[in-house]
Amino acid sequence: MAVSGKSLVLGVFGDPVAHSLSPQMHARFAESTGRDTVYVPFHVRAEGLETALEALPSLGIGGVNITVPHKEAVYRLLPQHSEAAAAIGAVNTVIVDGEHLRGDNTDADGFRADLAAQLGHTGWESGPVMVLGAGGAARAVVHALVAAGVPEIVLANRTPEKGQALIDQLAPERGRAVALASAEVQEAVGRARLLVNTTSLGLKGERFEGLDLTALPTTAGVYDLIYNPARTPLLREAEARGLAVANGLGMLVRQGAISYARWTGAEPAVEPVLEWLAHELGA
Ligand code: NAP
């Protein structure tokens, strides 16, 4: 679709941003909804972040996504947040409403929608769900699991104090934090209905040492937020055992589609974008 004087300008702030697939993804969202939008990658460095945010209303920009490394900084800079952004403590979507900016976070909704789409409702909602990791992505995942009503969440992190802080804040009543390399992890694996990897371990093909998936019930699902490679050793191992598996490509596309819908009111088609991206990444 050609850019016109009437096009609604959207974009992404990141550093770096040149590698981002979001402009192509959002071009496809515009195509599927018939909306006249254009999505621009803005290379914004930390020192220019506040100025860039302040300029959004004057430039008539409809909204931007926020990516690495600015999600937490934008959360601190904006006075208004959605419930999800406030819980997660990070902003991935800025909504421009007249002169006002609101920080939102669509990662949790994207994860929840993709979990349902890829693994169906196979009983994981009744828990226990095991989450590996305690970084920004884990915060979105735990927020989503709490919103879905999962009654028991076991979070395993390499640095257990970080896991405990996350549980204390987001799931004090139904969560428990354990150290990644501990006997408690193996006990929790044996009962888990769903295992979610939110760590960056596996991006370079690494394995979780000391995590024995053979203990997972045969009805359990395994979701890895990593999508490149399409199959981490964790997913390959789970797949070899016949478990239902999914990678994070759908979460990536769905969080983008939800942002697009919040900016424009139009819901883009997700499946063709998923197919295109999987092909693009050689998955
Ligand atoms: P982050 O805030 O830096 O957190 C990284 C997490 O990984 C921490 O829990 C860290 O443990 C753990 N970790 C790192 N190296 C490890 C190792 N060698 N062994 C065990 N644990 C290790 O990163 P993030 O923003 O949460 O992102 C995490 C991953 O999720 C990335 O791969 C990212 O690409 C992916 N992600 C995907 C989507 C999607 O849409 N699919 C969205 C967001 C993120 P410590 O606390 O002990 O350091």
Side-chain angles (χ1 to χ4, degrees):
M1 199 179 281
V3 181
S4 80
K6 292 184 196 142
S7 299
L8 175 69
V9 181
L10 306 167
V12 54
F13 287 1
D15 178 23
V17 80
H19 66 288
S20 174
L21 292 163
S22 292
Q24 288 155 284
M25 184 162 86
H26 281 267
R28 285 170 168 80
F29 292 161
E31 222 169 84
S32 77
T33 57
R35 294 296 171 107
D36 182 5
T37 59
V38 55
Y39 188 100
V40 187
F42 294 104
H43 185 185
V44 178
R45 295 185 176 85
E47 57 273 26
L49 187 60
E50 192 168 2
T51 314
L53 281 172
E54 282 168 2
L56 290 171
S58 333
L59 291 170
I61 292 175
V64 287
N65 282 132
I66 305 294
T67 188
V68 177
H70 300 318
K71 290 183 183 187
E72 282 86 10
V74 170
Y75 174 76
R76 289 190 295 271
L77 285 168
L78 296 185
Q80 278 184 27
H81 307 110
S82 67
E83 196 195 326
I88 297 164
V91 165
N92 80 339
T93 303
V94 176
I95 295 166
V96 184
D97 182 6
E99 288 302 305
H100 301 286
L101 303 181
R102 191 157 41 87
D104 200 351
N105 194 309
T106 62
D107 278 338
D109 283 350
F111 168 71
R112 198 171 154 193
D114 197 53
L115 193 58
Q118 304 242 33
L119 298 185
H121 297 283
T122 47
W124 55 264
E125 295 98 329
S126 41
V129 173
M130 177 133 199
V131 177
L132 308 179
R139 297 181 69 82
V141 164
V142 170
H143 180 67
L145 294 172
V146 169
V150 172
E152 187 185 349
I153 299 166
V154 182
L155 185 138
N157 196 43
R158 179 178 59 178
T159 316
E161 310 83 63
K162 267 178 73 182
Q164 191 61 54
L166 190 157
I167 288 296
D168 288 347
Q169 198 198 342
L170 291 178
E173 319 256 285
R174 57 185 98 196
R176 189 157 59 92
V178 297
L180 195 50
S182 68
E184 283 166 295
V185 167
Q186 217 41 58
E187 181 273 329
V189 167
R191 296 189 302 117
R193 306 292 285 268
L194 173 67
L195 178 91
V196 186
N197 176 38
T198 77
T199 77
S200 40
L201 195 86
L203 274 174
K204 295 181 192 135
E206 319 93 303
R207 288 189 76 247
F208 279 95
E209 296 303 334
L211 188 70
D212 180 12
L213 284 190
T214 56
L216 270 174
T218 51
T219 50
V222 179
Y223 191 107
D224 197 326
L225 265 66
I226 294 172
Y227 52 83
N228 190 17
R231 288 287 179 264
T232 55
L234 177 75
L235 285 192
R236 275 206 303 271
E237 214 177 300
E239 209 166 32
R241 282 208 57 222
L243 305 181
V245 301
N247 70 22
L249 197 61
M251 174 177 170
L252 176 77
V253 174
R254 288 177 209 278
Q255 61 77 27
I258 296 168
S259 296
Y260 192 86
R262 298 209 174 140
W263 291 323
T264 65
E267 297 212 0
V270 164
E271 291 305 327
V273 182
L274 261 174
E275 272 171 38
W276 161 75
L277 249 182
H279 181 260
E280 194 74 5
L281 296 171

